[in-house]
């Protein structure tokens, strides 16, 4: 009998139902659709790749609160704490690192980037002193045949995969045009001065990382290899030294459809933009990288805590320019000159305020969130 009554009730036309009932149904449906859409804070938080001090998740009380409320795009890990001038920072041993990463992913809903700079040579966060394997520098690697390069990068990728890392911030595709460059050539981070050699080695690096569900990014766009100054330390002007040849590795690799992400450089080049360094430059990122080179993937900034940015721009100004220029993922390593335990909240509040004051459009935020989501799905899916 009850089923019969319900069946008859459901057949009644909506025009016979009380208006208030219909309005209630409509409002519930509308609210359901609205609640399924992420709010502005949630979307803006996805644009942050954050650094922190802790070797165990239980030591990250300030971070855990932010994680639960607004999960960021992910985290960047280091072995050495630059502001404190000491170890450890995040990495002690393979078992400890795997546990830390697992706890972070659990707290973040298994959708976080876990990023490191693991290039080989002097730039490597997972070192033999912690129980990992050391690998040749880029310059050394370029002297080897393809099968040897592939072997080394395959082993590196497997090591990162076991640790739970899903984003390796490499390879460096800067040309070794100035061997005395304090941040590239002198550290043997560049493969070669020959763009074809750079593309050859970078291609193998990316292929082996991708086979192990590890995303990569080419760096540092539009080229840091000719600089005479370290952008970690201050203003870096390459106006007199940079040439268009430094774009060739990007052209070659994009032609092959290789990169899913590209990292910016904090270099200033008056021939491209007379006002702003590359990370903050719409002319450089949208004009050259997006329009001229046709790149449609993820753009991430070099560390926004580097002195080339912090000594010349306030946090609000830097975020405004970077996002409007086209940066999708903003790195705040918190491993520069100073440590700011509240940087996540500060950056998030500024981004949200910039949108609400119409200095950045919400559509621009949505574009970045979609690129981040797509990158994770394409390159890191089995790890998140």
């Amino acid at each position: 009998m009850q089923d019969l009554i319900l069946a008859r009730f459901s057949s009644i036309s909506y025009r016979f139902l009380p208006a208030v009932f219909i309005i209630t149904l409509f409002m519930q449906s509308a609210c359901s659709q609205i609640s399924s859409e992420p709010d502005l804070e949630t979307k803006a938080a996805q644009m942050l790749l954050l650094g922190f001090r802790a070797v165990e998740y239980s030591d990250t009380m300030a971070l855990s609160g932010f994680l639960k409320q607004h999960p960021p795009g992910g985290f960047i890990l280091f072995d050495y704490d630059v502001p404190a001038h000491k170890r450890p920072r995040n990495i002690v041993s393979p078992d400890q690192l795997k546990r830390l990463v697992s706890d972070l992913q659990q707290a973040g809903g298994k959708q976080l980037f876990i990023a490191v700079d693991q290039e080989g040579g002097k730039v490597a966060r997972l070192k033999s002193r912690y129980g990992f394997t050391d690998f040749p520098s880029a310059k050394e690697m370029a002297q080897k045949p393809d099968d040897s390069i592939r072997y080394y990068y395959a082993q590196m990728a497997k090591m990162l995969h076991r640790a739970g890392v899903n984003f390796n911030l490499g390879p460096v595709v800067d040309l070794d045009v100035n061997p005395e460059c304090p941040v590239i050539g002198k550290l043997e981070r560049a493969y070669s001065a020959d763009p074809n050699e750079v593309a050859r080695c970078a291609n193998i690096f990316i292929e082996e990382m991708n086979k192990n569900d590890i995303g990569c990014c080419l760096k540092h766009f539009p080229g840091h290899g000719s600089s005479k100054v370290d952008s970690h330390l201050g203003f870096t002007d390459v106006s007199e030294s940079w040439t268009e040849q430094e774009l060739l590795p990007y052209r070659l690799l994009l032609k092959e459809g290789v990169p899913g992400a590209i990292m910016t450089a904090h270099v200033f080049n008056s021939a491209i933009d007379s006002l702003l360094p590359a990370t903050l430059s719409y002319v450089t990122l949208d004009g050259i990288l997006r329009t001229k080179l046709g790149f449609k993937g993820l753009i991430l900034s070099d560390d926004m805590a580097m002195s080339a940015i912090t000594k010349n721009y306030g946090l609000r100004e830097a975020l405004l320019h970077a996002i409007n220029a086209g940066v999708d993922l903003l790195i705040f390593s918190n491993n520069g000159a100073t440590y700011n335990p509240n940087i996540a909240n500060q950056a998030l509040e500024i981004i949200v305020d910039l949108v609400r004051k119409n200095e950045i459009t919400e559509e621009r935020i949505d574009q970045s969130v979609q690129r981040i989501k797509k990158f994770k799905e394409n390159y890191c899916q089995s790890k998140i």
Side-chain angles (χ1 to χ4, degrees):
M1 177 62 73
Q2 185 178 13
D3 291 341
L4 181 60
I5 292 171
L6 289 172
R8 287 179 176 174
F9 180 79
S10 64
S11 68
I12 299 174
S13 172
Y14 276 113
R15 68 177 180 270
F16 296 112
L17 293 177
V20 67
F21 182 63
I22 297 173
I23 293 170
T24 301
L25 285 175
F26 177 80
M27 291 300 293
Q28 286 177 342
S29 175
C31 288
S32 175
Q33 291 178 11
I34 292 170
S35 63
S36 68
E37 294 293 324
D39 59 26
L40 178 57
E41 287 83 357
T42 300
K43 292 188 291 188
Q46 278 294 299
M47 297 177 68
L48 304 178
L49 188 69
L50 305 169
F52 60 93
R53 282 175 173 160
V55 296
E56 300 290 344
Y57 179 69
S58 57
D59 297 332
T60 63
M61 296 306 293
L63 198 60
S64 62
F66 184 86
L67 240 178
K68 291 175 183 176
Q69 189 173 9
H70 300 297
F75 296 100
I76 179 170
L77 307 181
F78 296 89
D79 62 310
Y80 182 73
D81 193 307
V82 174
H85 306 289
K86 67 178 184 180
R87 294 180 174 87
R89 167 82 172 201
N90 306 124
I91 301 166
V92 174
S93 71
D95 288 343
Q96 167 272 329
L97 179 57
K98 188 174 182 178
R99 185 170 59 251
L100 173 62
V101 170
S102 177
D103 289 346
L104 286 170
Q105 288 288 21
Q106 285 294 113
K110 297 184 180 180
Q111 57 180 349
L112 301 170
F113 281 131
I114 302 295
V116 296
D117 293 283
Q118 193 74 19
E119 301 170 12
K122 294 181 181 178
V123 179
R125 310 311 179 199
L126 281 61
K127 298 179 172 70
S128 59
R129 70 171 72 183
Y130 312 125
F132 299 98
T133 302
D134 292 330
F135 293 92
S137 69
K139 187 173 184 177
E140 292 171 319
M141 204 70 87
Q143 307 306 312
K144 303 180 185 298
D146 285 8
D147 58 349
S148 293
I149 297 173
R150 191 169 298 280
Y151 169 79
Y152 281 117
Y153 284 146
Q155 296 308 306
M156 180 189 289
K158 290 172 185 175
M159 180 182 75
L160 294 173
H161 182 90
R162 287 192 296 270
V165 172
N166 60 21
F167 200 0
N168 190 358
L169 304 183
V172 169
V173 295
D174 297 312
L175 297 186
D176 194 16
V177 289
N178 175 18
E180 293 303 309
C181 171
V183 72
I184 303 296
K186 212 163 187 178
L187 298 181
E188 297 189 356
R189 297 175 71 192
Y191 290 111
S192 171
D194 181 348
N196 292 289
E197 279 296 288
V198 171
R200 174 181 75 96
C201 298
N203 193 13
I204 297 172
F205 182 108
I206 293 167
E207 285 179 354
E208 293 307 317
M209 295 297 149
N210 289 172
K211 286 178 186 177
N212 287 273
D213 303 298
I214 298 169
C216 298
C217 69
L218 307 181
K219 61 186 187 185
H220 308 80
F221 187 85
H224 208 315
S226 70
S227 70
K228 299 177 182 178
V229 178
D230 183 349
S231 54
H232 289 83
L233 305 178
F235 183 73
T236 303
D237 191 341
V238 296
S239 301
E240 300 300 321
S241 58
W242 185 89
T243 68
E244 284 207 25
Q245 188 180 28
E246 295 182 57
L247 295 178
L248 281 178
Y250 297 96
R251 290 184 186 276
L252 292 168
L253 289 163
L254 280 167
K255 187 178 179 180
E256 297 297 320
V258 172
I262 292 176
M263 180 187 289
T264 68
H266 297 328
V267 295
F268 174 80
N269 187 344
S270 61
I272 296 175
D273 189 323
S274 61
L275 297 174
L276 296 166
T279 300
L280 311 185
S281 169
Y282 181 85
V283 176
T284 305
L285 301 187
D286 191 84
I288 297 178
L289 184 52
R290 293 273 188 226
T291 304
K292 189 173 181 179
L293 299 184
F295 180 63
K296 294 179 172 58
L298 181 70
I299 297 178
L300 60 157
S301 73
D302 204 342
D303 186 5
M304 298 296 286
M306 288 163 60
S307 293
I309 299 297
T310 60
K311 285 185 177 180
N312 297 285
Y313 305 93
L315 181 57
R316 184 184 181 89
E317 184 182 13
L319 286 168
L320 172 65
H321 285 304
I323 295 171
N324 279 335
V327 173
D328 302 306
L329 188 63
L330 298 141
I331 299 179
F332 286 94
S333 76
N334 232 339
N335 204 25
T338 60
Y339 184 84
N340 179 358
N342 199 39
I343 188 62
N345 286 305
Q346 289 177 357
L348 180 59
E349 288 171 7
I350 289 172
I351 295 171
V352 170
D353 188 60
L354 287 168
V355 174
R356 288 178 176 159
K357 291 182 177 175
N358 297 316
E359 295 179 67
I360 296 174
T361 66
E362 190 162 357
E363 180 185 10
R364 175 67 198 85
I365 303 298
D366 290 338
Q367 290 171 353
S368 290
V369 172
Q370 286 304 309
R371 290 188 190 112
I372 291 165
K373 180 182 178 182
K374 184 176 180 181
F375 187 91
K376 287 180 176 180
E377 289 173 348
N378 288 346
Y379 300 101
C380 316
Q381 189 58 41
S382 72
K383 304 304 297 295
I384 59 177

